[in-house]
Amino acid sequence: MSNRSKIFFKGVADVSPLMIPVVPFGIIFGVLAIDLGLSPITTMAMSIIIFGGASQIIFLQLFSAGASSLVILSSVGAVNSRHLLYGAVLSEHMSDFKMTWKIIISYFLVDQAFAVTNSYLKKSSDKDKAFHSFGAGATCWVIWQITTIIGIFLGSIIPEKLGLSFAVPLTFLALIVDDLRKLINVIVIIISGLIATVGYEIIPFKAYVIVAATSGLIAAMILTKFKGLNNG
């Protein structure tokens, strides 16, 4: 096995344990998309083009609520904006990468791939280290597409009267469980949740997600600064 293959499969092995919680998430997305009336082709196109679990679930939530296209695109863009931070962090390790590799890796740079890629690039000086990023990202992509297809299949055979739309908020609750360990996180979650709940009916253009998220960020900034002043 060549050195490039070894590095590629190391990326696959490093990210594989992180794929366990992705499987039910991808299936739920596929099921919900079909349940909300999207075609299998549209659902797969979303998974290929957006390729971001949280963003795609938010898309479905806003779509089902009748939000405008501008609000949907803005919300999805806001959620995916964290990838700009990922790119900034990895840029110092990728200065010697060819532009082709940078484009490929930027597409595959989801949360799990970033976690293992960042850890590997910090320690590696191998000239073929880009293959690790490719292996990790490609694994995430394949798993997400396969689970989406499984969800599409299941969604087409589950009776409409079952109504699985409730799984959207439950999925997000599962994602934030780990954040409940810190008081600041709990406060920010409560503030964002209250604003989103109240704003659902009164904020125009269904922009409650953007307003709630922005309010949460401002609250987090204030609380973090206040905590820093107290510690100082």
Side-chain angles (χ1 to χ4, degrees):
M1 182 182 295
S2 67
N3 185 54
R4 291 181 176 181
S5 297
K6 289 179 180 179
I7 295 175
F8 175 87
F9 284 111
K10 177 171 175 50
V12 174
D14 287 347
V15 83
S16 290
L18 301 180
M19 292 295 96
I20 296 174
V22 172
V23 172
F25 198 13
I27 293 174
I28 287 174
F29 166 73
V31 170
L32 288 177
I34 298 300
D35 186 57
L36 292 174
L38 272 65
S39 70
I41 293 178
T42 301
T43 303
M44 281 305 305
M46 195 187 305
S47 275
I48 293 172
I49 295 171
I50 300 178
F51 183 39
S55 303
Q56 291 176 223
I57 293 292
I58 285 177
F59 181 101
L60 292 182
Q61 188 177 29
L62 293 174
F63 176 79
S64 64
S68 67
S69 299
L70 178 60
V71 170
I72 292 176
L73 291 174
S74 299
S75 299
V76 171
V79 172
N80 268 351
S81 63
R82 69 189 187 280
H83 293 89
L84 295 175
L85 298 177
Y86 293 168
V89 171
L90 294 182
S91 61
E92 61 178 304
H93 305 298
M94 296 184 175
S95 58
D96 56 337
F97 282 21
K98 292 182 178 179
M99 181 56 67
T100 303
W101 271 123
K102 291 180 179 179
I103 293 173
I104 293 172
I105 293 172
S106 66
Y107 172 69
F108 286 131
L109 198 61
V110 293
D111 299 342
Q112 295 82 359
F114 167 76
V116 298
T117 293
N118 187 41
S119 177
Y120 178 81
L121 292 181
K122 283 181 178 179
K123 299 178 292 185
S124 176
S125 58
D126 196 297
K127 62 182 179 67
D128 294 320
K129 59 186 178 181
F131 283 87
H132 182 277
S133 305
F134 180 50
T139 300
C140 296
W141 189 89
V142 170
I143 295 297
W144 184 251
Q145 306 310 323
I146 290 175
T147 53
T148 297
I149 292 173
I150 294 173
I152 290 172
F153 174 75
L154 292 177
S156 64
I157 62 177
I158 292 176
E160 290 185 9
K161 61 182 180 180
L162 190 59
L164 291 175
S165 297
F166 69 91
V168 172
L170 290 181
T171 301
F172 277 109
L173 285 174
L175 291 175
I176 66 173
V177 165
D178 191 55
D179 291 326
L180 299 177
R181 299 177 183 179
K182 296 182 179 179
L183 179 60
I184 289 180
N185 292 351
V186 173
I187 295 174
V188 171
I189 289 170
I190 291 174
I191 292 174
S192 300
L194 287 174
I195 292 176
T197 302
V198 174
Y200 180 79
E201 295 293 342
I202 64 176
I203 296 177
F205 307 113
K206 299 295 182 180
Y208 61 94
V209 172
I210 297 175
V211 175
T214 303
S215 302
L217 288 172
I218 294 172
M221 182 179 66
I222 294 172
L223 290 170
T224 301
K225 187 174 182 179
F226 180 74
K227 181 181 178 182
L229 290 175
N230 284 344
N231 292 339

